Amino acid sequence: MPDELTLLRRADPVPASDLRYQDGPLDHEAERRLRHLVRSGTPARRTRHVRRWAWSLAAAGAVAAVAATLLLSGPATTPAVAAPRPLTVRAGSSPLPLRELADRVAAAHGSLPLRQGTHVQTWSLGLSSGPGSRPPITLPEERVVRWRTDGSHTELVVATDPRHPGRPVITDADGAPRTVEDGHVLSRKTYWPSWSDAPPQAQPPHTAAALRAYLAEIDTTTTMNTPELVSAVSELLDNWTLGSRENAALVRVLADAKGLRPVGAVTDRLGRPGQAYVYDDAAHAGRGMLILDPVTGAVLGLESTATRADREYGLKAGEVLSYRAWMR
């Protein structure tokens, strides 16, 4: 619905004409070739070509298998959303070590307040395997969670893809993949008051040592290595919008973990400048990239890419598996 979409975009306005999108509209020649691929050849051949345009996303740290029943062949159906290219480091940019960023953020003494709730854009994956399986489909959503003073909170989930404003969006919110209008409200809920004292609902601390212990409570593994640490950070950010002190503490925790490698400057999928830090997730055949604001230290996004192909799910090495973008 237009009212909810307007609310979301006012919260973090990104003009549709902004040229910083790395996955902008196809040019005339690309559109012509895509129409030719979809409309010509046998159904099996059409499916193979359209698969190249499908983009693969999964929950951070794992590939989720979802039974997809959306048909992608035939002249009256909608082709899968084009796959985004992995974020690329800006040529000639200098990597910013996490310890240096931590010192910079701590010295800045920012005034951003801690806020319970989140505003996050996600791209998740619908996958299927076995006989009759369909190509991967993207399920882009935007979620706004706001808490009230009485302990209750609201959650608004909208199907929208900021890379392609106004275009139909694929969703499987009802269990069966289908297309909806851009800005379609998937759910609007109000939850009764809750005052849990366990992470991630408990208020996060603003010192590195305390925050490290807080994240360890979120993670349930025996040893919290870099992939597990980043997963815990992601869960924290899905519940809280960190303030300046919490951002400074988190950057220090990430620096002390020593599992993230600085690779240079990037522009995230919402057009924001950031510094990228990568890590390997061998257990899930993936590579993660954490994007941090070079001024405030805030986590802007998290991208995962496949390090090896998976023929069963139609994935190729180097393809994007997942992306999350957090906003204030």
Side-chain angles (χ1 to χ4, degrees), residues 18-319:
D18 196 324
L19 297 179
R20 292 174 296 180
Y21 285 122
Q22 295 198 1
D23 302 289
L26 300 177
D27 59 26
H28 175 75
E29 176 62 17
E31 289 279 10
R32 184 190 66 79
R33 292 177 61 192
L34 179 57
R35 285 196 300 269
H36 174 74
L37 290 173
V38 173
R39 295 175 182 174
S40 64
T42 64
R45 183 176 180 180
R46 284 198 300 270
T47 300
R48 286 197 300 271
H49 284 304
V50 172
R51 184 186 297 267
R52 298 179 184 176
W53 295 88
W55 60 302
S56 304
L57 297 177
V63 177
V66 180
T69 58
L70 183 67
L71 297 179
L72 297 177
S73 61
T77 57
T78 304
V81 180
R85 296 183 297 273
L87 292 178
T88 56
V89 176
R90 193 177 308 146
S93 64
S94 299
L96 178 61
L98 276 167
R99 290 194 179 278
E100 182 178 334
L101 177 59
D103 293 340
R104 175 189 299 182
V105 174
H109 301 293
S111 58
L112 293 174
L114 173 68
R115 186 174 66 209
Q116 192 169 18
T118 190
H119 182 187
V120 59
Q121 178 78 42
T122 65
W123 290 266
S124 60
L125 177 67
L127 282 175
S128 65
S129 63
S133 63
R134 302 296 175 184
I137 57 174
T138 54
L139 309 168
E141 296 179 0
E142 191 157 2
R143 183 182 308 267
V144 175
V145 178
R146 292 289 178 258
W147 284 74
R148 299 166 174 166
T149 55
D150 65 355
S152 64
H153 68 278
T154 61
E155 179 189 64
L156 174 67
V157 183
V158 174
T160 183
D161 188 345
R163 300 177 309 128
H164 307 295
R167 296 190 188 180
V169 179
I170 299 176
T171 179
D172 71 345
D174 301 326
R178 59 191 176 90
T179 57
V180 296
E181 293 183 2
D182 180 33
H184 177 80
V185 174
L186 298 175
S187 68
R188 191 200 324 260
K189 299 178 181 177
T190 299
Y191 294 87
W192 291 102
S194 172
W195 294 276
S196 172
D197 59 357
Q201 288 192 340
Q203 180 171 320
H206 55 265
T207 65
L211 184 58
R212 188 179 299 108
Y214 179 101
L215 294 169
E217 282 196 58
I218 295 177
D219 177 64
T220 58
T221 60
T222 304
T223 303
M224 189 170 65
N225 295 318
T226 301
E228 291 78 25
L229 172 62
V230 174
S231 178
V233 170
S234 179
E235 190 167 347
L236 165 63
L237 297 177
D238 281 347
N239 287 271
W240 292 86
T241 301
L242 301 187
S244 297
R245 296 189 302 173
E246 293 78 21
N247 282 330
L250 179 56
V251 178
R252 184 67 64 188
V253 169
L254 295 173
D256 292 343
K258 301 178 181 179
L260 290 157
R261 305 185 299 274
V263 293
V266 297
T267 300
D268 85 340
R269 297 197 187 280
L270 298 183
R272 302 170 297 184
Q275 280 284 329
Y277 302 87
V278 300
Y279 64 94
D280 298 318
D281 187 0
H284 300 102
R287 189 192 80 153
M289 176 186 285
L290 200 64
I291 302 105
L292 303 184
D293 187 303
V295 177
T296 67
V299 178
L300 301 179
L302 173 61
E303 177 179 271
S304 296
T305 54
T307 55
R308 68 169 180 255
D310 190 327
R311 295 181 60 184
E312 182 179 2
Y313 294 107
L315 299 178
K316 297 179 181 178
E319 283 191 312

